[in-house]
Amino acid sequence: MMALCLKQVFNKDKTFRPRKKFEPGTQRFELYKKAQASLKSGLDLKAVVQLPPGESINDWIAVHVVDFFNRINLIYGTMSEYCTEKSCPIMSGGLKYEYRWQDDSKYKKPTKLSAPQYMCMLMDWIEMLINNEDIFPTRIGVPFPKQFQQVCTKILTRLFRVFVHVYIHHFDSIINMGAEAHVNTCYKHFYYFIREFSLVDHRELEPLVRMPRGWGG
């Protein structure tokens, strides 16, 4: 069912931006393959997220940030037709949590946006960061900047808000599309990863403190 849902997404009259991929032959590509192989092998996700012996933590985080961005963007794309200006005039996670957008260019102060606007700004912002060689270097021997993990924390914190919105406002649509298991697995993987490396403040996790239906974690 999930494959059918994703096929339908790409058949829609929408333009999906090209995603950053890992270049074959690079250390990060090998790490990516290792991470994907562990996922497919059915290993405990708590074990899958642990840093492999001898590997760089920044490389490991970079691989996962890019992968989570691609996967979460696709998940949101599967149900974006249900998340509209009318249905979601505010980017929120229930009645208690509202997320405002802020960046260093157009929105210099926290600004109230609809959920679709927020998602669009978020995906464009993350794409800009992960394609910036000064932040996510791909050339051999080029070090990560000192603020790399700080940037990743900001990216992952905002990606977590996508899960919050999807689970609280659109999970019935996810169930109806038969994508519940896929979304739950992605969330579980994401959750264990950010907890393993303390990448998202625990206060940000409060909206989903009661685990989503079928999460099984």
Side-chain angles (χ1 to χ4, degrees):
M1 278 298 291
M2 188 61 193
L4 178 61
C5 293
L6 299 184
K7 185 177 179 181
Q8 289 171 344
V9 169
F10 287 108
N11 286 340
K12 293 175 185 173
D13 294 328
K14 294 182 178 179
T15 301
F16 279 78
R17 55 177 71 81
R19 296 282 153 251
K20 179 163 183 172
K21 295 181 180 178
F22 304 103
E23 292 297 324
T26 63
Q27 174 66 13
R28 218 161 294 161
F29 179 73
E30 296 304 317
L31 272 181
Y32 174 72
K33 285 201 303 182
K34 185 182 295 185
Q36 293 300 305
S38 296
L39 271 178
K40 291 174 183 176
S41 70
L43 292 174
D44 178 3
L45 286 172
K46 286 183 181 178
V48 165
V49 300
Q50 293 172 6
L51 180 67
E55 301 293 354
S56 156
I57 186 170
N58 281 343
D59 275 323
W60 190 239
I61 290 174
V63 163
H64 282 80
V65 167
V66 173
D67 189 38
F68 285 135
F69 166 61
N70 289 337
R71 291 164 65 192
I72 293 169
N73 185 72
L74 196 54
I75 285 172
Y76 181 72
T78 67
M79 42 71 59
S80 58
E81 65 184 279
Y82 305 105
C83 183
T84 65
E85 301 286 331
K86 185 176 180 180
S87 69
C88 306
I90 298 172
M91 175 57 182
S92 61
L95 298 175
K96 191 176 177 182
Y97 300 94
E98 177 183 321
Y99 301 119
R100 299 189 177 189
W101 182 258
Q102 183 177 15
D103 53 37
D104 295 325
S105 53
K106 187 176 179 181
Y107 299 97
K108 296 188 177 180
K109 293 182 179 180
T111 304
K112 184 180 294 189
L113 297 177
S114 68
Q117 287 176 306
Y118 186 100
M119 298 295 186
C120 185
M121 296 298 298
L122 174 60
M123 299 308 173
D124 285 346
W125 174 76
I126 296 176
E127 183 182 34
M128 175 194 69
L129 289 174
I130 65 176
N131 285 300
N132 184 335
E133 283 285 332
D134 292 333
I135 301 173
F136 280 76
T138 56
R139 297 184 299 277
I140 296 174
V142 177
F144 287 92
K146 291 181 180 178
Q147 76 276 22
F148 176 70
Q149 289 191 26
Q150 184 179 346
V151 172
C152 289
T153 285
K154 200 165 186 179
I155 291 173
L156 293 168
T157 296
R158 290 181 171 182
L159 281 175
F160 181 80
R161 295 171 182 176
V162 179
F163 281 119
V164 173
H165 185 75
V166 167
Y167 272 120
I168 292 177
H169 296 281
H170 301 292
F171 202 56
D172 286 343
S173 298
I174 293 291
I175 292 173
N176 291 338
M177 290 189 292
E180 180 183 1
H182 177 86
V183 175
N184 281 343
T185 299
C186 185
Y187 173 67
K188 194 173 184 179
H189 184 200
F190 181 92
Y191 177 83
Y192 284 142
F193 184 80
I194 62 176
R195 292 302 301 270
E196 174 73 14
F197 300 104
S198 301
L199 289 167
V200 175
D201 191 288
H202 68 91
R203 290 170 296 183
E204 284 282 344
L205 307 180
E206 288 177 3
L208 293 181
V209 67
R210 292 184 179 178
M211 296 307 175
R213 285 170 281 174
W215 190 79

